[in-house]
Amino acid sequence: MTAFVILHYRAVEMTRTCVERIQALDGSKHIVIVDNASPNGTGRILKEEYAGQDNVTVLLNEENAGFARGNNLGIRWVCTHLPAQFTVVLNNDVEIRQKDFIVRTEEIYKEDPFDILGPDIVSVFSGIHQNPKSLKGCTLDSVRKKRANVKRSTHPILLLLSSGEKNSPLLWKHVQRRRRAKQCIDVSVPAKNVVLHGSCVIFSERYLKSHPEPFYPKTYMYYEMEILEWMCRREGSVVRYDPSICALHYQHEASRQELKSIIRRSKFVMDCLLDSLTAAEELILETGGEERV
């Protein structure tokens, strides 16, 4: 069996579509929807809608716990209640089109067992392949440098520029291509021990047996995958990317917003990222991991 954990917040139609697409996949599956305390009551609506489906479970979180703790709640439920060989954590705006996705994942594991696996993820918004996110994991120095850069980026003018970049597919594609070109990322070949994109992540049963809550809980949103790769690197866990499985990410597909709301969203992203980088720095220092292992 393969479990799918979907984090839900407000966007009920998007979650319904995500569930329908997963149900259409071949193979044994169970879907766990984690409602992150949606203020519009859609969590309870989903719980009522799927009450009659044996392979769908809806969990109602008491608070909006963010990405890490919200997904950890669903993964912990899977580890406690299901004999799942794999647990796929995916955003509700991700579409898996390969009907044999589950079978392909099983075959990949048989050929070369992994702890965490990432598929080829294509952004519908920009056309960019989002995996691997990076070929190199974070270090104490890189975390501190990124934190300093993000701090500078919270200036209102820089927030406006950042907002414009993220809401223009052409500009966003150009910026992302430049960043990825610097790393010489080849998305057509498998890779090992890389930073994966968090919109679709596959955990093996062997990893979750010792890590039933794999995401670092001191983050609310952003930088979770860099921290996860860092923890895996320290303990020798296998993180892999394999382009033979793929998914579409409907990133930034929401309708255009007014300028003020766009800037507000960018400010929210920066604030969350700063908090996550602070948490990453504290984790590295607490574990004495100043150097790459």
Side-chain angles (χ1 to χ4, degrees):
M1 174 188 287
T2 294
F4 291 82
V5 174
I6 306 168
L7 197 59
H8 168 77
Y9 187 73
R10 298 179 67 103
V12 67
E13 288 302 328
M14 193 173 289
T15 297
R16 286 177 179 141
T17 300
C18 186
V19 171
E20 289 175 9
R21 289 166 174 166
I22 294 171
Q23 293 283 38
L25 301 179
D26 295 334
S28 175
K29 62 192 101 47
H30 192 103
I31 301 168
V32 179
I33 302 169
V34 179
D35 171 56
N36 233 350
S38 298
N40 60 354
T42 49
R44 296 193 178 280
I45 292 173
L46 291 170
K47 192 172 182 67
E48 292 175 5
E49 285 184 6
Y50 294 114
Q53 295 194 31
D54 293 337
N55 72 335
V56 180
T57 299
V58 179
L59 305 178
L60 302 179
N61 210 345
E62 295 180 356
E63 61 173 336
N64 183 353
F67 179 92
R69 287 185 291 134
N71 278 316
N72 280 348
L73 177 66
I75 298 168
R76 167 68 76 172
W77 189 93
V78 170
C79 293
T80 305
H81 295 84
L82 299 176
Q85 185 181 7
F86 304 103
T87 299
V88 183
V89 175
L90 74 166
N91 292 0
N92 63 355
D93 60 353
V94 168
E95 177 185 4
I96 298 172
R97 287 189 171 179
Q98 294 167 312
K99 289 203 70 177
D100 60 347
F101 181 87
I102 293 173
V103 174
R104 287 180 183 234
T105 301
E106 292 171 350
E107 291 174 348
I108 291 170
Y109 188 84
K110 286 178 183 177
E111 292 177 6
D112 190 1
F114 59 83
D115 291 295
I116 304 173
L117 178 68
D120 180 14
I121 303 171
V122 181
S123 168
V124 176
F125 172 77
S126 65
I128 291 293
H129 292 254
Q130 297 177 305
N131 255 341
K133 189 175 180 182
S134 174
L135 299 180
K136 295 181 179 180
C138 66
T139 63
L140 181 61
D141 184 56
S142 69
V143 168
R144 285 175 169 170
K145 285 181 179 178
K146 187 172 182 64
R147 189 167 181 270
N149 289 336
V150 172
K151 268 190 173 182
R152 287 193 290 270
S153 299
T154 56
H155 188 282
I157 293 178
L158 292 177
L159 279 175
L160 179 59
L161 291 172
S162 174
S163 303
E165 171 190 299
K166 291 178 181 178
N167 284 277
S168 167
L170 289 176
L171 184 55
W172 181 247
K173 182 184 290 188
H174 174 70
V175 171
Q176 291 300 309
R177 278 184 172 171
R178 283 188 61 188
R179 288 174 181 170
R180 296 176 72 79
K182 287 182 180 179
Q183 295 192 64
C184 299
I185 295 176
D186 185 351
V187 300
S188 66
V189 297
K192 188 173 287 188
N193 300 327
V194 295
V195 179
L196 298 173
H197 196 275
S199 59
C200 185
V201 189
I202 305 164
F203 294 94
S204 68
E205 183 180 21
R206 79 174 190 184
Y207 184 75
L208 293 183
K209 279 183 178 179
S210 55
H211 304 82
E213 295 184 7
F215 293 110
Y216 189 56
K218 292 186 179 181
T219 62
Y220 179 78
M221 204 173 293
Y222 305 112
Y223 215 67
E224 299 90 356
M225 298 308 296
E226 285 83 356
I227 295 175
L228 180 61
E229 187 279 334
W230 185 85
M231 293 189 292
C232 287
R233 191 193 329 142
R234 281 186 56 80
E235 63 187 19
S237 298
V238 178
V239 180
R240 291 182 57 200
Y241 160 73
D242 196 308
S244 66
I245 51 174
C246 56
L248 294 178
H249 187 195
Y250 290 85
Q251 188 181 30
H252 302 304
E253 282 295 293
S255 59
R256 291 171 182 251
Q257 303 176 53
E258 293 182 2
L259 188 60
K260 286 184 179 178
S261 62
I262 292 172
I263 295 174
R264 194 182 309 123
R265 185 182 66 192
S266 292
K267 179 66 164 59
F268 170 77
V269 169
M270 294 298 184
D271 288 344
C272 289
L273 184 53
L274 274 175
D275 289 342
S276 294
L277 288 164
T278 298
E281 181 179 356
E282 291 173 351
L283 174 65
I284 294 172
L285 290 172
E286 285 172 5
T287 54
E290 290 196 31
E291 297 180 2
R292 291 198 53 160
V293 179

